[in-house]
Amino acid sequence: MGATPAETSPATLMVDLIISLDGYASAEGWPGWWGLEGPEYLAWLDEEAAKNYTFLLGANTYRLMYGMSAQAAADRTGFSAEEGASLTGLAAVPKIVFSSTLQAPLDWPNSTLVTGDAVEAVRELKRTATGPLSTLGSLKLTRSLLAAGLVDRFRLVVFPVITGATGRERIYDGYPDVMLEMAQSRTFDGRLQLLEYVPTVLTRPPGSR
């Protein structure tokens, strides 16, 4: 059916997103995690942080997350304790930033700037890196990497909200057709649903000739 499987290599690439039920990455006026984070979910985030991911992000996400991390470190915001710890902890995590507008050296610690083609850079990174890779937000970058067949795992945590009036950043706009094979599922705190898939990008609908 014209499938293009994700490439295999020593370094695996995870697309990792939080999402409302109607497909938004965030919503205006809502708190972080839509105010629905619970102890099981937060404990899982701590477990994931210990897996030593290298995060991939674009310029807009870099500016946003660096600003939020700096604000949380200065304790000048209304972030919850859990949000603050998560944001400040990102300073110690290796990050690769893809941008043609930012200039090196980047201010956020442990950030490496790549100015060339992101798809080709990640393709090479998957051949040479040995640790796991994960996107951090960056919907445009994520879409490009998925379309190129570079994504090994596509993971969502679905929050039980519909933000039709206030939703921002529609996740799936511009995506190719993708077949998803379930690899893992889990429920946190009786309300958040983790869904992890192996993606296969389709060149045409299943069953077509």
Side-chain angles (χ1 to χ4, degrees), residues 2 5 7 26 32 36 53 66 77 91 123 129 131 145 171 206:
E7 298 183 2
S26 63
L36 294 174
Y53 286 103
Y66 172 47
T77 70
R123 197 185 305 275
L145 298 177
I171 286 180

Side-chain angles (χ1 to χ4, degrees):
M1 58 184 174
T4 304
E7 298 183 2
T8 58
S9 74
T12 58
L13 173 59
M14 170 89 73
V15 160
D16 199 6
L17 299 166
I18 63 172
I19 185 171
S20 66
L21 188 61
D22 53 342
Y24 289 99
S26 63
E28 185 176 354
W30 289 68
W33 294 310
W34 287 276
L36 294 174
E37 71 275 16
E40 289 181 3
Y41 178 59
L42 294 172
W44 175 78
L45 288 179
D46 288 340
E47 293 170 6
E48 287 298 295
K51 293 182 178 179
N52 298 319
Y53 286 103
T54 295
F55 286 122
L56 313 180
L57 57 160
N60 289 338
T61 299
Y62 170 83
R63 294 185 183 100
L64 174 66
M65 298 303 295
Y66 172 47
M68 293 172 63
S69 178
Q71 289 173 349
D75 196 24
R76 295 197 304 264
T77 70
F79 293 121
S80 68
E82 293 82 3
E83 288 174 318
S86 179
L87 288 167
T88 55
L90 287 173
V93 177
K95 298 168 288 290
I96 299 177
V97 184
F98 300 95
S99 173
S100 60
T101 58
L102 295 173
Q103 293 185 343
L106 297 175
D107 293 329
W108 204 3
N110 297 300
S111 296
T112 300
L113 178 64
V114 174
T115 58
D117 181 79
V119 168
E120 290 307 313
V122 173
R123 197 185 305 275
E124 178 63 22
L125 187 62
K126 289 192 66 185
R127 283 195 291 262
T128 58
T130 56
L133 310 170
S134 177
T135 57
L136 180 63
S138 305
L139 301 185
K140 182 178 178 181
L141 173 65
T142 292
R143 183 167 59 242
S144 298
L145 298 177
L146 181 67
L150 293 173
V151 176
D152 300 288
R153 289 289 189 273
F154 190 81
R155 186 169 69 186
L156 308 170
V157 177
V158 182
F159 284 68
V161 295
I162 294 173
T163 54
T166 57
R168 298 291 182 268
E169 300 179 289
R170 285 180 58 84
I171 286 180
Y172 300 126
D173 287 355
Y175 266 45
D177 288 354
V178 183
M179 187 74 75
L180 299 171
E181 179 183 353
M182 179 69 74
Q184 180 186 178
S185 64
R186 179 177 174 182
T187 301
F188 300 112
D189 305 297
R191 58 181 178 265
L192 310 182
Q193 187 69 44
L194 179 145
L195 302 170
E196 183 175 326
Y197 299 99
V198 177
T200 300
V201 179
L202 304 179
T203 58
R204 55 182 180 269
S208 64
R209 297 182 178 180

